[in-house]
Amino acid sequence: MKHRIFNASLILSAMLISFTSCSNKQSQTAKERDVFAMDTFMTMKAYGDSADIALEQAENRIHELENCLSVTNQESEIYKINSADGAEVPVSYDTALMVEAGVFYWQETKGALDISIYPVLSEWGFTTGDFHVPDTATISKLLEKVDGGSIEVNDFTVKIPSGSKIDLGAIAKGYTGDEIMEIFQNNGITSALISLGGNVQALGSKPDGSDWRVGIKDPFSPDTNMCVVSISDKAVVTSGNYERCFTGDDGKEYWHIIDPDDGFPADNGLVSVTVIGEKGLRCDALSTALFVAGTDEAQSYLRNYRDVDAVLVTDDGKILYTDGLSKCIEISSDMPSEVIPYD
Ligand code: ADP
Ligand code: MG
């Protein structure tokens, strides 16, 4: 009798093992989806039986957010805020939260991130494709209206001064990444990786339990990676001077991250900033802000707030990274590298 029970439980456990390995096998096939939205290519891959439905929901969410945030679509909430001529505009939870985040990071980064920089960015042609170096008088005039502190968010309304304009390009993809992670989790997905035009974000680790390996581009040669970081459950967000740039008539390179201090492309010693942390929104805001802040201020920010890691590349070709990455970064570049001192 005892023998039979033993046998029965053996059969049961064999069934369980085969059932588990069968479902594992099923879930190890990645489902993938490519989307073009927010002016960039996005790729998503998720594992698990509900991956298809999760990816469908994620794609819908991307389009929903894009519709709120587009600066050019006359139906978008940002467009309505920008054309309200100083009046208060009712907005959705998403827009309120992102604008609030914009104000928060303006304060936290001492104005390096300023979502009201939009008119200056536009003048340079980054929004229209009509690239040119504006004259300094035009920039000075436009800068008068740039003030992250003048943006008011109250519950579900946003108000900006007449003549000001905002854009969430510096943080929208980060927020979108967090939203997609939540959709995946709600669908029971435990392993996924997305790339929203350079914003990489991972849910869990690879299905075999190993870390995701994320390459970070060499800003001096963007077709190659300068390093790889091994991560799980993290966002890896890069802002670099090699994306969206043009060569002016003077032969100089100009790029799309603007220093609100002078209205020129930020040129404070850094050519690339990658921020690695738990939340896409925070990493996105900080990658842009630390790029603007420059070599010294970026390092002191990282020393003060130790919740994120970062890889900085200086314009004289040095890689600086936080100690938290020491065990998970593999550098393949010839550039000299060093850990950012924390004392
Ligand atoms: P990417 O969009 O290439 O991922 P970023 O996250 O760094 O790069 O965002 C850059 C975008 O943010 C610009 O295209 C512009 O829309 C906006 N932007 C540029 N400079 C600033 C700034 N100082 N503060 C806030 N937003 C900015
Ligand atoms: Mg950013």
Side-chain angles (χ1 to χ4, degrees):
M1 191 63 186
K2 214 174 163 193
H3 202 63
R4 272 192 27 216
I5 291 173
F6 176 67
N7 276 348
S9 65
L10 244 188
I11 292 166
L12 187 66
S13 32
M15 276 169 63
L16 274 177
I17 288 167
S18 70
F19 178 73
T20 327
S21 60
C22 176
S23 76
N24 266 349
K25 212 175 196 171
Q26 227 180 25
S27 62
Q28 290 202 0
T29 316
K31 295 288 169 58
E32 302 195 15
R33 186 158 305 206
D34 297 339
V35 180
F36 185 81
M38 301 182 184
D39 218 11
T40 193
F41 282 105
M42 304 182 167
T43 58
M44 301 187 277
K45 105 174 141 184
Y47 294 84
D49 296 336
S50 49
D52 274 327
I53 186 146
L55 289 168
E56 181 68 22
Q57 288 174 13
E59 179 170 355
N60 292 340
R61 187 77 174 116
I62 290 170
H63 292 306
E64 183 180 48
L65 289 172
E66 182 178 36
N67 289 339
C68 281
L69 304 177
S70 162
V71 206
T72 46
N73 173 359
Q74 302 199 356
E75 297 303 312
S76 87
E77 294 182 347
I78 296 298
Y79 189 91
K80 287 177 184 156
I81 295 167
N82 287 345
S83 38
D85 204 16
E88 200 170 61
V89 177
V91 294
S92 62
Y93 173 81
D94 291 317
T95 301
L97 202 137
M98 270 185 277
V99 175
E100 204 161 28
V103 176
F104 173 83
Y105 282 104
W106 172 80
Q107 263 163 356
E108 200 176 82
T109 65
K110 303 194 182 91
L113 186 103
D114 193 330
I115 59 171
S116 69
I117 196 71
Y118 182 72
V120 179
L121 187 86
S122 251
E123 182 60 37
W124 280 91
F126 287 108
T127 56
T128 57
D130 176 21
F131 301 114
H132 65 279
V133 181
D135 61 75
T136 43
T138 308
I139 292 184
S140 305
K141 187 96 197 99
L142 291 170
L143 279 176
E144 286 169 14
K145 291 283 179 187
V146 174
D147 177 10
S150 67
I151 302 164
E152 292 175 41
V153 188
N154 286 308
D155 296 328
F156 292 101
T157 63
V158 173
K159 191 168 119 171
I160 61 172
S162 172
S164 285
K165 282 185 169 33
I166 58 170
D167 113 274
L168 298 171
I171 54 177
K173 284 183 280 163
Y175 179 75
T176 306
D178 292 336
E179 289 298 294
I180 294 173
M181 294 298 117
E182 201 177 317
I183 289 172
F184 286 170
Q185 277 172 313
N186 291 343
N187 280 285
I189 307 278
T190 54
S191 176
L193 189 75
I194 62 172
S195 171
L196 312 181
N199 283 38
V200 177
Q201 196 158 351
L203 179 64
S205 45
K206 285 190 197 168
D208 66 5
S210 63
D211 283 341
W212 298 102
R213 290 166 52 78
V214 179
I216 301 175
K217 286 181 183 175
D218 180 340
F220 298 106
S221 169
D223 292 336
T224 52
N225 287 335
M226 61 176 180
C227 65
V228 171
V229 287
S230 300
I231 50 114
S232 61
D233 270 323
K234 293 246 160 90
V236 180
V237 181
T238 301
S239 291
N241 73 344
Y242 52 90
E243 303 273 5
R244 299 180 202 230
C245 50
F246 72 95
T247 310
D249 293 339
D250 54 6
K252 282 197 206 157
E253 286 284 303
Y254 295 97
W255 46 88
H256 70 135
I257 301 174
I258 306 290
D259 187 340
D261 271 352
D262 61 7
F264 271 69
D267 195 8
N268 298 316
L270 296 175
V271 288
S272 163
V273 173
T274 301
V275 178
I276 300 160
E278 308 219 324
K279 288 287 173 199
L281 173 60
R282 180 157 173 76
C283 293
D284 202 359
L286 290 182
S287 69
T288 311
L290 298 186
F291 186 101
V292 173
T295 319
D296 296 337
E297 279 186 36
Q299 291 183 79
S300 43
Y301 186 94
L302 292 165
R303 257 179 230 120
N304 285 342
Y305 297 82
R306 300 193 181 184
D307 63 311
V308 291
D309 279 302
V311 183
L312 315 177
V313 184
T314 61
D315 55 9
D316 57 357
K318 230 187 277 158
I319 301 175
L320 307 170
Y321 59 94
T322 50
D323 194 31
L325 296 175
S326 294
K327 290 203 175 78
C328 62
I329 190 168
E330 285 164 50
I331 297 176
S332 50
S333 156
D334 291 338
M335 283 188 267
S337 60
E338 57 189 62
V339 172
I340 295 170
Y342 268 173
D343 304 318

